[in-house]
Amino acid sequence: WKLTHLSVLKEVIAHLSLHVESHNTNFRNTSTDSLTPSYAPSHVIRSVIIDTLIDMVVHPSAKVRAAVVSLFNGMIPISKSDDVAKKIFPSLITLCNAPDKNVKYGCASAFASIVIHSPSDAILDKLTGAFGKLLTEDVHAMKLEVIHNFTTMIPHLSDKLKFRDQYVLPRLVVIAKKNNANQNLEQRRDTAHSLFEAFRTLSGATVSADISETQILPALKCLLVDAAQIDPSFK
């Protein structure tokens, strides 16, 4: 039974990923994502889906791997923490090492979903390395993607302040400082706006005086420098 379903699911995922017109990305993603809720009413079936996706992690097609990442992302909120930590997260790390940018962008979103839905201390420690690797690529679009996902994560970290205050916020401060020296004004403006949205999510959150002084204020000072030079209205 399980082998039959594994085979059928592989065929369906590969077909949707490869044969839907490449320009119609939204339709392809919607089609593959729709498999998750319709096929996952029980732990047994969720396990089949996860095992299927694990088998497809090394698929030669980047389109298929991107669909696999998208489906993993859809499985995270409805999977057991143990499955996320031992099956989904290691698979995402493997996918994140792939050269295709769309696969990497999808991994950043999936990592954020893990932080929101399955934030054990052990996996958060590992996610610092995963996000760090994405940021070391120094690609503008990837940097914006990571900032966007940090922005999504921050409101959900009220009971994980160590991860927020010792990892997420310091990374944002580093990005803000580097952005002051960015000679590409369009990229600098985009990054500044994204950083502003990230720090704005802290409104109403519990923030210590030390974190305000060492993390938030330095970042806001950097954003004021950006505003003065590239977009006075932003100030």
Side-chain angles (χ1 to χ4, degrees):
W1 176 88
K2 185 174 181 179
L3 290 176
T4 300
H5 282 72
L6 283 171
S7 177
V8 171
L9 276 174
K10 285 181 183 179
E11 290 180 9
V12 171
I13 294 169
H15 177 81
L16 289 172
S17 304
L18 293 171
H19 297 293
V20 173
E21 291 297 323
S22 59
H23 67 272
N24 198 352
T25 305
N26 289 334
F27 177 74
R28 183 173 63 249
N29 289 344
T30 301
S31 299
T32 52
D33 288 348
S34 68
L35 291 173
T36 302
S38 61
Y39 274 75
S42 71
H43 174 67
V44 173
I45 297 179
R46 287 195 296 270
S47 179
V48 171
I49 295 175
I50 291 172
D51 289 345
T52 301
L53 297 176
I54 290 173
D55 283 349
M56 302 182 75
V57 162
V58 294
H59 195 283
S61 168
K63 289 183 179 180
V64 172
R65 294 197 304 274
V68 168
V69 172
S70 180
L71 284 166
F72 270 136
N73 202 351
M75 292 300 299
I76 290 167
I78 60 174
S79 296
K80 293 183 176 180
S81 296
D82 197 52
D83 285 339
V84 173
K86 294 181 179 179
K87 293 184 176 183
I88 295 178
F89 179 68
S91 298
L92 289 171
I93 292 296
T94 300
L95 287 159
C96 194
N97 290 325
D100 185 78
K101 62 180 182 180
N102 290 328
V103 176
K104 291 179 181 291
Y105 295 159
C107 286
S109 179
F111 291 152
S113 184
I114 291 175
V115 172
I116 294 169
H117 297 287
S118 190
S120 68
D121 290 338
I123 204 166
L124 288 179
D125 287 341
K126 294 177 181 178
L127 279 166
T128 60
F131 279 119
K133 185 172 183 178
L134 293 175
L135 286 171
T136 57
E137 296 190 12
D138 198 27
V139 176
H140 178 63
M142 178 58 73
K143 177 176 61 182
L144 293 181
E145 183 68 20
V146 172
I147 295 172
H148 168 74
N149 283 290
F150 280 2
T151 303
T152 303
M153 288 158 41
I154 288 173
H156 299 273
L157 294 175
S158 58
D159 58 345
K160 296 292 179 181
L161 295 181
K162 180 180 177 180
F163 181 71
R164 186 195 72 182
D165 296 346
Q166 296 184 16
Y167 181 74
V168 175
L169 296 184
R171 297 291 83 69
L172 292 175
V173 173
V174 169
I175 294 172
K177 290 179 177 179
K178 288 183 176 180
N179 197 49
N180 280 170
N182 193 340
Q183 298 301 308
N184 185 314
L185 295 184
E186 183 177 355
Q187 290 185 2
R188 187 174 174 183
R189 184 183 300 109
D190 290 345
T191 302
H193 278 279
S194 294
L195 286 168
F196 174 74
E197 291 301 322
F199 281 99
R200 193 165 70 166
T201 62
L202 290 167
S203 177
T206 300
V207 179
S208 69
D210 177 65
I211 293 301
S212 294
E213 183 177 348
T214 62
Q215 306 294 338
I216 299 176
L217 288 178
L220 293 180
K221 288 178 181 179
C222 290
L223 290 176
L224 284 173
V225 172
D226 289 332
Q229 296 187 21
I230 62 177
D231 190 356
S233 65
F234 179 50
K235 185 175 180 179

